[in-house]
Amino acid sequence: MNESTNEVGIHISGNTAVLAGDPDLIGNLLMRLDVDPSHQGNTGKATADLVAQITGLGAVLTALDGSWVQLTPESHLRLVELAKFNLPQNGLFSGVIRGTNGRIDSFTQFTTGGMNPLVMSNLATLTATMALRSAVAQLEDLAKAMDVKLDRLLEDNRAQALGDVQGLTQVLLRAFELYEDTGGITDTAWSQVAGHATALAQASSYALAQIDNHTRSLSARSFADKVNAAETAAHNELRSWLVILAACQANQQRLETLELVHLRQRDPGAVEAHAKSIQRSAARREHAAASRLQSLLDALTSAANVSDFNRVRSPQKSRSLLDSAESASQLIQTFAEIYGLDGLRQKEIERETWRKSLSDIAKTTTTTVSSVAKAVPAGFAKAAGDVVIHAAGQIEAQRSPKKAVTESSPENATETGR
C-alpha cells in the first residue's frame, strides 16, 4: 500500500489532462509542470475512478483524489520530457508516473489501456468528460474576455428565443454533477435530459442564423445601412450570440458525455463506436461555426472598404464603420483563439486620411476641379472640398442613381485614420 502513495495516474488528450492519486503528489507534479493555477480544478470521484481503472491504479488505491488540467504547450512538453514517452500521433495516452519518497521526479512505466470493451468504454467516457471540461473552461474564458455575465446573458430575450438555454443548462449540469458524484446516471436522471438533443441543436442553429443575419446586413447597398449594420454587430449583438453559441456547445458536450455514461451502463461494447460518432458531430459543429465566422469576417472587410467619396462626404460615419468593423473582427478572433478555430483568414482593414481621399477624388474628377483643389491653400480646404464633392457626387450619382447621399459636408480636418 505504501507504493501506492508514490503513484499518479494520468490521462492526456490534446491540451487536457486528468490526474488521479494522492493530492500532495498531484500538486507536486503540477508545480513541476508549471501549470497555471487558473487552468486546473478538482474532478469528481467518477472521473478519478476512471483514470484509476484505465491506468491500473484502481487495484492498489482505495481512495483517490483527482485534478483536471488545461496544459499549455510548454507544460505539455515538460510532461513529455518528464515521462520520456513518445506520444502516439493522435496525442492521447494514459499511464502511471511513479516517484520515490513521495516525489514525482522519475519515470518508470507508462501503460496504455487494454482492448477489452470495458476498458475502452472507460477510455471513451473519460475522453468525453475531458472534452466537456475543456469546453466549459473555454466558455468561461470567452465570457470573461468579452465581459459578458453568463447568468445575465442566459436570462435575456436572446436566450428566451433560443428555447430557454438557461433551463437546459441547469438540467444538464445537475445530471452531470450526479454522474461525477456517483459514477453513473440513473434512469430518472437520464429521462430528464434524453430529450434535449433537438433543443440544443435548434439553439445552436438559431445562434448561427443570427450570425448569418449580420453577414447579410453588411451587404446593404446604402452606405448608411452598412454603418448601422457594423455598429450593431460590434456593440450590441455579436458578442452575445458568440457566447450563447459557446454555451450551446458546452451543453451539447454535457449531453453527449451523459449519453456515453448511460450507454456504458447498458452496452459497454458499443461505447467506442458511439464516442467516434460524437467526435465527428463535434467536428461538424466546429466547421459550421468556422464557416459562418469566416463569411462574417469577409463581409466586415468588404464593408470597411470605404470609397473615397464616402470617406470625404461622411468622415464621421466612415470612421465609425472602420472602428466597428475592427471591433467586430476582434470579437471573432477572440472567439476563434479561445475555441481553437484555426484557419480563419482576416484581411487588414485599410484606413486613409480625409485629405488623401480628397486628393484622390480630385485626380479622378475633371481637370478644372483638380486644378482648383491644388491651388487652394490648406486653410481653405473646406471650400476646395465642397467643389470636389459636388463634382464627385455627380459622378457617383451617374454610376449608381439609387445611392444618393444627403449627409452634410465634412469638417475640413477630420480624418478616418488613427
Side-chain angles (χ1 to χ4, degrees):
M1 189 69 180
N2 185 49
E3 181 188 5
S4 66
T5 62
N6 297 329
E7 296 179 343
V8 171
I10 183 169
H11 179 74
I12 298 178
S13 179
N15 68 338
T16 308
V18 173
L19 306 93
D22 180 81
D24 291 336
L25 288 182
I26 293 176
N28 194 350
L29 177 59
L30 294 180
M31 289 179 61
R32 180 73 175 268
L33 298 177
D34 195 22
V35 173
D36 186 341
S38 65
H39 289 172
Q40 66 186 71
N42 293 330
T43 65
K45 185 66 163 58
T47 304
D49 286 344
L50 284 177
V51 178
Q53 292 167 18
I54 291 171
T55 59
L57 286 182
V60 292
L61 290 178
T62 58
L64 294 171
D65 193 9
S67 288
W68 166 84
V69 183
Q70 278 186 301
L71 297 171
T72 64
E74 294 76 16
S75 58
H76 197 170
L77 284 176
R78 288 193 187 97
L79 179 60
V80 174
E81 292 172 357
L82 178 66
K84 300 178 181 177
F85 185 83
N86 293 322
L87 293 179
Q89 292 191 359
N90 63 7
L92 184 152
F93 71 84
S94 301
V96 179
I97 295 180
R98 294 188 176 92
T100 58
N101 298 323
R103 294 179 300 174
I104 301 297
D105 59 2
S106 62
F107 165 83
T108 57
Q109 182 180 1
F110 262 84
T111 57
T112 57
M115 296 303 294
N116 68 77
L118 180 60
V119 172
M120 293 308 296
S121 67
N122 288 340
L123 186 65
T125 305
L126 178 57
T127 301
T129 303
M130 294 167 67
L132 166 61
R133 291 190 174 277
S134 180
V136 172
Q138 290 166 342
L139 170 60
E140 293 170 348
D141 288 345
L142 184 67
K144 182 178 179 181
M146 294 192 175
D147 194 24
V148 174
K149 302 297 183 183
L150 284 176
D151 54 347
R152 294 181 183 178
L153 176 64
L154 295 178
E155 290 176 350
D156 72 9
N157 291 333
R158 281 177 285 265
Q160 293 296 325
L162 290 172
D164 196 1
V165 175
Q166 186 185 39
L168 293 175
T169 301
Q170 291 175 346
V171 172
L172 289 167
L173 180 58
R174 179 174 176 271
F176 188 79
E177 289 176 343
L178 182 63
Y179 153 68
E180 286 278 67
D181 291 338
T182 65
I185 181 170
T186 64
D187 290 339
T188 300
W190 176 245
S191 66
Q192 293 174 348
V193 302
H196 290 332
T198 300
L200 286 172
Q202 290 173 340
S204 292
S205 296
Y206 192 90
L208 290 173
Q210 297 306 311
I211 293 174
D212 284 340
N213 286 340
H214 285 302
T215 301
R216 286 192 293 269
S217 65
L218 287 165
S219 63
R221 297 187 63 179
S222 166
F223 176 67
D225 288 343
K226 287 184 179 180
V227 175
N228 292 335
E231 290 176 343
T232 298
H235 306 298
N236 299 326
E237 298 283 342
L238 183 58
R239 72 176 65 237
S240 294
W241 287 119
L242 288 176
V243 176
I244 287 176
L245 179 63
C248 292
Q249 166 74 7
N251 277 328
Q252 286 174 312
Q253 197 78 61
R254 276 195 183 98
L255 180 57
E256 289 167 347
T257 302
L258 292 173
E259 287 177 357
L260 288 183
V261 174
H262 184 256
L263 187 61
R264 184 163 58 93
Q265 296 174 176
R266 299 298 183 92
D267 186 6
V271 171
E272 185 179 4
H274 196 77
K276 291 180 180 178
S277 175
I278 286 175
Q279 291 174 349
R280 290 192 294 268
S281 295
R284 286 193 294 269
R285 290 197 299 267
E286 180 178 313
H287 175 74
S291 62
R292 294 318 205 288
L293 294 176
Q294 182 63 63
S295 296
L296 182 54
L297 275 176
D298 293 342
L300 287 166
T301 303
S302 178
N305 185 19
V306 180
S307 68
D308 288 326
F309 174 77
N310 284 326
R311 185 178 285 109
V312 171
R313 184 71 178 184
S314 306
Q316 293 180 345
K317 285 187 176 295
S318 297
R319 187 193 304 114
S320 177
L321 174 56
L322 294 175
D323 290 344
S324 296
E326 287 183 339
S327 295
S329 297
Q330 183 57 52
L331 291 176
I332 295 172
Q333 291 298 335
T334 299
F335 181 92
E337 289 172 6
I338 292 176
Y339 260 80
L341 298 182
D342 299 326
L344 291 186
R345 305 176 306 279
Q346 180 182 5
K347 296 180 181 178
E348 184 177 355
I349 294 176
E350 296 182 1
R351 289 179 177 263
E352 190 173 282
T353 65
W354 183 86
R355 293 182 182 278
K356 174 72 164 53
S357 296
L358 177 63
S359 175
D360 291 342
I361 288 179
K363 294 176 182 178
T364 58
T365 55
T366 63
T367 304
T368 302
V369 173
S370 179
S371 299
V372 170
K374 293 178 181 179
V376 175
F380 298 93
K382 184 179 185 302
D386 289 341
V387 175
V388 174
I389 290 170
H390 177 72
Q394 291 180 330
I395 295 175
E396 190 78 6
Q398 292 174 357
R399 291 176 178 173
S400 181
K402 295 183 180 180
K403 294 183 181 180
V405 180
T406 59
E407 293 143 343
S408 60
S409 298
E411 300 168 4
N412 70 318
T414 303
E415 296 185 351
T416 60
R418 283 192 179 91

